[in-house]
Amino acid sequence: MRNDPALSAGFFAGRMLALDQINADQPLILKELDWAEQEPLPSLSPPCPSWRQDVSLDCKFSPEDTQAHAWTTYYYDLLQCTLQQEGLPETVDRTKEPRTGFSSGDVTICILGSPTSYLSVLLEGSSQCPGNMLLCLSPSWLAKVPSEQHPGESSLLVSKAVSFELGGRTCLDEFSPPRRVTYFMGSFGPCKEHGQSAGELARDLDCPTGGSGELARLLEDKLLTRQLLDQRAQVGVPPTLAFTFKRLRPLRDVTTERSVRMVELSGKEGQENLIQEEIEAFLQGSAMEPYSQVVVKPSGWRWSGAHAVTFHAKVEQAAMLQAVLALLETLEEEESALLEAFIPTARLTQPESPNSTSPSSTSPRPDLAIRICTVVCRSWGDQPLLSQVVCGVGRADKPLKHQAMVPQSLESGLRQQGMTDEAQLAAIRAQVKHKAEAAMTAFLEMEAGLSVEQRGGRWAQTDVIGVDFLLTSSEQVLQLMALEMNSQLCLETCALFESMGQAVGMPAGKSSRPLVETMLRRTQCHLMEGKHVLVIGAGGVSKKFVWEAARAYGLKIHLVESDPNHFASQLVQTFIHYDTTEHKRDEEHAQRLVALVRERGLHLDGCLSYWDDCMVLTALVCEQLGLRCSPVAAMRVAKQKSRTHQHLLRRRKEAPLGWASEALYAVPCCHLESHADVERAARHLSFPGVMKLEYGAGAVGVKLVEDVQQCHLHFEKISRDLREDTDHPGIGLGWGNAMLLMEYVSGTEHDVDIVIYDGRMLAAFVSDNGPTRVPHFTETAASMPTCLAPDREAQLVRAAYQCCLGCGLTNGVFNVELKLTASGPKLIEINPRMGGFYLRDWIQEIYGVDIMLASVMVACGVPPLLPAHTQPRTHLVGVMCVVSQHLKALKSTASVETLQALHERGIIRLNLLEDELVAREYEEPYCNVACASPSRREACLKLLGVCQVLGIDSPHYPVTHFLSHFK
């Protein structure tokens, strides 16, 4: 039962109430969950709460004292109050029946902080991993224990939390035994002697953390972040003079000065003359000429908000000196006193009131300032991504603080001030994006140079920051001036903006969605670290990324490969040389490989292959070892192309009610092993048709045929030229050289890369292919994201999913090739493995999803948590280079060295698919050259220009024509 005397004064429903507002009269505000150190409790409303008061908030493992318990109670009530305002149901108390059955492999994302700060993050996360997003309202609900796997580190266990479920439903839960946290975030702040702080809990954990006390100390230091903005990001900041006793470590190597001057003092006594001289020089400098006021403020993580801040006219040098001296008396060693210019807001033309009839009827209006608030998240590859921009409008003669502004969209704020030109509005938004992301880049670069100890742990990193700007002007040109970075205030402000917008149908979660994606990505990488995975078949140079990525993820790869000298043998944990090329003996190979695994004492978590020839063998090994994979029968159906279509055609009457039959997507075809089979097929199928190798890959041996005579000629040629694997390694000849004839289908060609776990589709990514080079259908160009209308894209995704399930493919990452006709999708073939060529690289670049990691997770029985509706971050358009058309260019203007240099400079995106410039009759692409841009049209134009300069475009290889489908 709750003992809650401190809350009897009533309740306050302020959505923006946060920890840094708890005691507004104190000079130091600690954004920290050390409740016992902060008093009195703020009030809440309504005075008569409608939620239950008899919930169990005590933690039997770590009892709280009376005051700490009062704070836990307060945060629970704040959560209920906030949920009520969001139109969400009250939290259900399930503590009488502790939840069990959780393992160390389960996702557990835990946040220790104020509900108002992190509610949007928790709600967004619960839509992707319901029940695994936990809010802790007290440090006593968490405990650190020595890590079993990483000596010197600690595991974080949660015994009690508020679980966030689908639809905004929340439950107060106890866990027995406690759950192991796989990602931790909190309101990090200075450690106090009473109670455990979020910073203490985060230090040296064996799981990812979205910050730490050490990193928060740096992020909340105005001098440090201002130097980063000024010197590294080259973002405009107010002219600043800083007095400090000892520079923070990242500032000790700063020697040049731009807008920020640092003066290191030898002590608190006897510095008055030096300080006075520096102030005089600062005020008389050219940087201060445009400004008439000065602000004196402290810098350091203890000094958040507007405490101890004073304002002075530029002529009041004596008052400034006294303010600085008084401030220095209160500072600790690495804190600073700042003098900075008070930046006037840009003066925009005020729009006239619609009811005004004459100038005299217009009421006088004060000058207004616009504070722009941004949230920037760490995206995949440590790239910054702006997730939300809002602004607040207030009087220009007073500081505009987060807690005192009602957020609105940037465009609304600017339009109210008279800016109506759409091009100018777009230019300001683009400038905000560029500068906010540059600010985070600067901080992340600084952070990357810190030691593990300085970051607060091996897994500690900053995943989200806020950056505040003021819109000012210089010589009648609008400019953005960066005011500060912060760890939490901007996130709260943007969440409030989205919360307000839901009442009128505005989308929610934009500010927190990239952060949630980062949380999920990092926690999944953590769960996969150290997994032992058997990979069968190394593939060629185009699969080199597999071994590099596996090492980066900390996977232990045990590779089975036929070539004893394969380059991948040096890149894996264990190399097992075993000849698997004769795939008609896969059952025998599987038994022998299982014996080798057991002889070596390998304890595998999963087994998979990225190589077409080895998919059936992989399924057989998984079956014998009891590892997750699609059934062997399903792999056999998918591996043989004609069998895939015939299997789906036989399922015409087996579709579930309300679903279109997967037979609708299949194309009539016939298996060919002799000329008699060719005659038989010609009698049953319509021409034109397409002939291809039954088990082939890379479009080798594919040809358009117009009649039965052409069928006989092509069958004879393939039967003569491509007999066994040594004739053309890697295209499936280990399965034989049987062929098939299928009816030709007109339409645009597309790939769907789809992730399926236990029969559930977790994600699908659609790409477009350009016109192929007939009659052999070799790929020429590709574009992603698709340029199709959403309904047509949905047709492709559903067709790919149904075809996979129809064949029995229930676990894995699959590449489905389809054509989109006027009447709907038609299947070309299913590759029962991850998409090849450039697809993994492009999907990761555009959507931040690594389908290679997803395939390993599925194989290890860990369901990937993939974003359901990720917005593309760029557009990629690429062309294939083939030796027959580009040998001269590839040896000169488009040499590998030239292409790699352009790739490193970000001009192109290169995917090397072969390592030798060898001309073959049955050729495969040598490389893919792509360009990225915010729009598909710009990417096409950029790529066309690059191809013309490099000599890739020619009359015999018309890139313009190959890009013509991408409109």
Side-chain angles (χ1 to χ4, degrees):
M1 296 293 290
R2 294 167 47 184
N3 181 13
D4 205 1
L7 294 179
S8 60
F11 292 79
F12 169 68
R15 173 69 173 81
M16 287 302 300
L17 186 63
L19 293 175
D20 57 353
Q21 295 170 271
I22 287 176
N23 188 355
D25 297 328
Q26 296 295 322
L28 295 185
I29 302 300
L30 307 179
K31 295 165 67 176
E32 180 49 48
L33 293 183
D34 284 319
W35 296 271
E37 296 297 317
Q38 302 181 30
E39 57 180 359
L41 289 166
S43 59
L44 296 167
S45 72
C48 297
S50 58
W51 51 87
R52 292 184 59 176
Q53 301 291 294
D54 59 346
V55 296
S56 173
L57 298 177
D58 293 315
C59 182
K60 58 185 178 182
F61 299 107
S62 180
E64 296 178 308
D65 61 31
T66 302
Q67 192 170 18
H69 182 72
W71 274 101
T72 304
T73 300
Y74 163 73
Y75 276 98
Y76 181 81
D77 284 315
L78 180 59
L79 172 64
Q80 302 314 306
C81 190
T82 307
L83 291 172
Q84 188 179 78
Q85 292 178 50
E86 298 285 345
L88 298 174
E90 176 185 347
T91 300
V92 176
D93 186 357
R94 300 192 300 200
T95 55
K96 291 183 179 180
E97 297 181 2
R99 298 180 66 191
T100 60
F102 295 100
S103 71
S104 59
D106 291 320
V107 170
T108 303
I109 296 176
C110 183
I111 295 177
L112 175 63
S114 167
T116 56
S117 300
Y118 294 106
L119 184 67
S120 65
V121 177
L122 292 157
L123 291 173
E124 178 64 27
S126 66
S127 67
Q128 299 190 44
C129 54
N132 297 317
M133 298 292 296
L134 308 181
L135 173 65
C136 284
L137 302 174
S138 168
S140 68
W141 295 4
L142 294 152
K144 291 173 75 171
V145 298
S147 174
E148 296 179 358
Q149 297 179 338
H150 302 283
E153 296 180 347
S154 299
S155 295
L156 187 62
L157 305 180
V158 55
S159 57
K160 193 167 199 163
V162 177
S163 305
F164 280 69
E165 307 283 352
L166 282 174
R169 191 170 67 96
T170 55
C171 300
L172 182 63
D173 287 316
E174 287 187 356
F175 307 104
S176 181
R179 292 178 67 169
R180 181 171 172 264
V181 175
T182 58
Y183 181 98
F184 180 63
M185 176 173 274
S187 300
F188 301 112
C191 300
K192 308 294 289 184
E193 60 183 355
H194 299 292
Q196 283 190 301
S197 70
E200 287 175 332
L201 287 169
R203 186 176 295 113
D204 293 326
L205 291 182
D206 63 358
C207 71
T209 66
S212 67
E214 288 78 0
L215 292 174
R217 186 181 188 109
L218 301 176
L219 182 57
E220 296 289 351
D221 188 282
K222 292 182 176 63
L223 175 57
L224 171 62
T225 56
R226 188 157 294 182
Q227 278 282 18
L228 292 175
L229 289 165
D230 184 42
Q231 301 232 354
R232 294 200 185 188
Q234 297 189 0
V235 174
V237 298
T240 304
L241 174 63
F243 296 101
T244 185
F245 300 114
K246 182 180 179 181
R247 297 187 186 191
L248 288 168
R249 185 178 297 275
L251 293 175
R252 292 174 191 171
D253 296 330
V254 175
T255 56
T256 58
E257 296 180 358
R258 288 164 54 90
S259 298
V260 181
R261 172 167 170 74
M262 291 185 293
V263 179
E264 200 160 354
L265 303 175
S266 59
K268 294 185 178 182
E269 303 295 333
Q271 304 294 310
E272 185 171 341
N273 290 338
L274 173 61
I275 295 172
Q276 185 172 357
E277 291 172 3
E278 289 289 348
I279 292 175
E280 289 177 358
F282 174 69
L283 296 176
Q284 294 171 9
S286 59
M288 285 296 297
E289 285 182 5
Y291 308 110
S292 60
Q293 286 184 289
V294 173
V295 184
V296 178
K297 63 173 66 172
S299 171
W301 75 336
R302 296 187 306 146
W303 303 92
S304 77
H307 299 278
V309 176
T310 57
F311 297 81
H312 309 272
K314 192 174 177 180
V315 296
E316 298 174 347
Q317 293 189 25
M320 290 180 216
L321 176 61
Q322 292 306 312
V324 170
L325 292 173
L327 196 53
L328 289 172
E329 287 297 322
T330 67
L331 298 184
E332 295 181 356
E333 186 178 53
E334 291 185 340
E335 296 176 337
S336 308
L338 306 183
L339 261 77
E340 64 181 48
F342 182 81
I343 306 299
T345 187
R347 293 179 178 270
L348 304 177
T349 303
Q350 297 287 339
E352 291 188 4
S353 170
N355 298 323
S356 63
T357 57
S358 66
S360 61
S361 66
T362 304
S363 303
R365 301 181 63 181
D367 291 333
L368 298 177
I370 296 180
R371 185 182 184 118
I372 300 171
C373 173
T374 67
V375 172
V376 191
C377 299
R378 184 195 293 257
S379 181
W380 85 269
D382 294 333
Q383 295 298 309
L385 179 65
L386 179 72
S387 63
Q388 186 61 282
V389 182
V390 301
C391 74
V393 179
R395 293 175 62 101
D397 58 348
K398 296 181 179 180
L400 186 56
K401 298 189 295 182
H402 285 268
Q403 296 90 341
M405 71 185 202
V406 180
Q408 56 188 297
S409 72
L410 176 62
E411 288 75 11
S412 293
L414 293 174
R415 286 192 180 101
Q416 288 182 64
Q417 304 308 307
M419 184 182 292
T420 57
D421 183 78
E422 293 298 327
Q424 196 171 24
L425 290 169
I428 290 179
R429 174 170 277 275
Q431 190 180 159
V432 169
K433 176 178 172 63
H434 171 73
K435 294 194 173 185
E437 291 179 348
M440 187 169 200
T441 297
F443 191 86
L444 297 187
E445 289 175 351
M446 179 276 297
E447 182 179 291
L450 301 176
S451 67
V452 170
E453 182 181 4
Q454 290 165 349
R455 292 200 313 273
R458 179 170 62 101
W459 288 89
Q461 66 179 40
T462 303
D463 285 339
V464 61
I465 67 170
V467 188
D468 282 312
F469 297 93
L470 188 70
L471 189 62
T472 184
S473 61
S474 176
E475 297 179 354
Q476 296 185 336
V477 176
L478 292 175
Q479 293 182 344
L480 287 174
M481 188 74 75
L483 297 177
E484 66 176 19
M485 297 187 199
N486 57 72
S487 59
Q488 198 166 310
L489 290 176
C490 287
L491 187 64
E492 290 179 347
T493 303
C494 291
L496 172 59
F497 169 77
E498 294 175 4
S499 174
M500 291 162 47
Q502 288 187 74
V504 293
M506 292 171 58
K510 182 180 178 182
S511 61
S512 53
R513 190 166 298 131
L515 174 58
V516 169
E517 292 176 9
T518 295
M519 289 175 165
L520 296 177
R521 182 167 52 250
R522 293 188 65 200
T523 198
Q524 290 176 104
C525 291
H526 168 64
L527 290 174
M528 296 305 296
E529 184 186 28
K531 295 286 188 185
H532 289 261
V533 181
L534 186 70
V535 177
I536 302 178
V541 68
S542 66
K543 297 292 188 288
K544 186 178 179 180
F545 68 84
V546 170
W547 323 116
E548 296 169 346
R551 179 172 293 181
Y553 288 129
L555 297 170
K556 309 297 184 184
I557 299 296
H558 309 281
L559 174 62
V560 177
E561 168 55 33
S562 302
D563 178 5
N565 300 313
H566 197 285
F567 69 85
S569 64
Q570 305 300 313
L571 304 175
V572 295
Q573 182 85 3
T574 304
F575 181 74
I576 302 173
H577 172 232
Y578 182 87
D579 189 358
T580 63
T581 51
E582 182 55 63
H583 288 287
K584 293 179 180 179
R585 298 168 51 200
D586 271 354
E587 286 83 359
E588 177 187 335
H589 294 325
Q591 292 177 0
R592 182 64 186 133
L593 286 176
V594 169
L596 287 172
V597 165
R598 289 171 175 160
E599 286 173 11
R600 291 171 178 259
L602 299 179
H603 300 284
L604 300 176
D605 297 292
C607 172
L608 77 162
S609 179
Y610 297 102
W611 198 239
D612 288 273
D613 289 2
C614 298
M615 300 311 300
V616 173
L617 174 58
T618 299
L620 287 164
V621 171
C622 288
E623 184 178 70
Q624 294 189 37
L625 291 175
L627 298 172
R628 183 176 296 270
C629 186
S630 291
V632 175
M635 286 294 190
R636 292 191 185 279
V637 168
K639 180 59 186 169
Q640 186 176 344
K641 295 176 174 59
S642 65
R643 188 173 174 183
T644 304
H645 288 271
Q646 291 163 2
H647 177 84
L648 294 175
L649 287 169
R650 286 195 294 269
R651 291 177 56 86
R652 187 177 303 275
K653 297 181 180 180
E654 299 179 24
L657 291 176
W659 283 46
S661 169
E662 52 262 42
L664 291 174
Y665 310 124
V667 178
C669 58
C670 292
H671 179 75
L672 307 176
E673 291 190 13
S674 65
H675 285 283
D677 290 337
V678 172
E679 288 292 336
R680 190 179 306 109
R683 290 195 296 269
H684 289 88
L685 302 178
S686 300
F687 285 98
V690 177
M691 290 185 71
K692 60 175 72 175
L693 286 166
E694 186 74 270
Y695 305 98
V700 174
V702 181
K703 187 175 182 180
L704 180 71
V705 288
E706 301 288 348
D707 51 40
V708 66
Q709 184 177 3
Q710 289 185 11
C711 289
H712 282 293
L713 290 173
H714 190 56
F715 182 84
E716 181 66 28
K717 181 173 176 55
I718 294 298
S719 300
R720 182 179 64 250
D721 294 349
L722 301 175
R723 292 175 174 271
E724 54 190 27
D725 191 67
T726 54
D727 292 332
H728 200 306
I731 63 164
L733 294 175
W735 286 90
N737 67 344
M739 302 191 73
L740 78 150
L741 174 66
M742 65 188 305
E743 294 182 356
Y744 174 75
V745 176
S746 62
T748 55
E749 190 170 329
H750 307 269
D751 281 45
V752 179
D753 287 271
I754 187 168
V755 183
I756 300 177
Y757 186 89
D758 272 354
R760 292 182 297 115
M761 181 177 68
L762 303 184
F765 307 94
V766 179
S767 56
D768 304 334
N769 292 331
T772 54
R773 296 175 65 217
V774 291
H776 298 293
F777 297 97
T778 52
E779 183 176 337
T780 59
S783 174
M784 184 182 273
T786 178
C787 54
L788 295 172
D791 60 327
R792 298 286 270 170
E793 179 184 12
Q795 286 183 336
L796 288 171
V797 171
R798 175 54 66 91
Y801 182 40
Q802 281 191 248
C803 288
C804 287
L805 291 188
C807 292
L809 298 173
T810 54
N811 283 286
V813 178
F814 309 113
N815 172 255
V816 185
E817 300 177 25
L818 302 115
K819 275 198 169 182
L820 188 58
T821 71
S823 59
K826 293 293 182 180
L827 177 67
I828 300 175
E829 65 188 49
I830 299 174
N831 298 305
R833 43 77 183 159
M834 179 184 74
F837 290 162
Y838 46 81
L839 284 167
R840 180 259 184 177
D841 176 54
W842 281 24
I843 291 169
Q844 191 171 31
E845 177 68 14
I846 295 169
Y847 297 104
V849 173
D850 189 351
I851 58 173
M852 176 265 175
L853 179 62
S855 66
V856 177
M857 294 184 71
V858 172
C860 292
V862 180
L865 296 171
L866 304 177
H869 305 291
T870 300
Q871 290 298 310
R873 302 171 192 188
T874 188
H875 288 76
L876 278 166
V877 179
V879 295
M880 292 294 199
C881 294
V882 291
V883 175
S884 65
Q885 300 296 318
H886 300 118
L887 181 60
K888 181 178 179 181
L890 291 170
K891 287 185 173 181
S892 56
T893 53
S895 66
V896 172
E897 294 77 16
T898 299
L899 295 175
Q900 287 177 337
L902 293 173
H903 174 86
E904 291 171 2
R905 292 168 56 190
I907 296 174
I908 66 169
R909 193 162 194 91
L910 174 66
N911 278 275
L912 198 62
L913 309 177
E914 297 286 343
D915 56 355
E916 294 182 353
L917 284 172
V918 179
R920 296 173 177 169
E921 179 180 1
Y922 303 101
E923 69 180 351
E924 295 179 86
Y926 175 75
C927 68
N928 181 273
V929 175
C931 287
S933 188
S935 75
R936 184 180 302 105
R937 181 177 180 276
E938 290 177 9
C940 286
L941 292 174
K942 184 178 176 182
L943 178 63
L944 180 59
V946 166
C947 290
Q948 290 172 344
V949 170
L950 296 179
I952 297 172
D953 180 42
S954 71
H956 299 290
Y957 203 83
V959 173
T960 302
H961 170 63
F962 298 148
L963 303 181
S964 62
H965 283 187
F966 310 143
K967 297 178 181 178

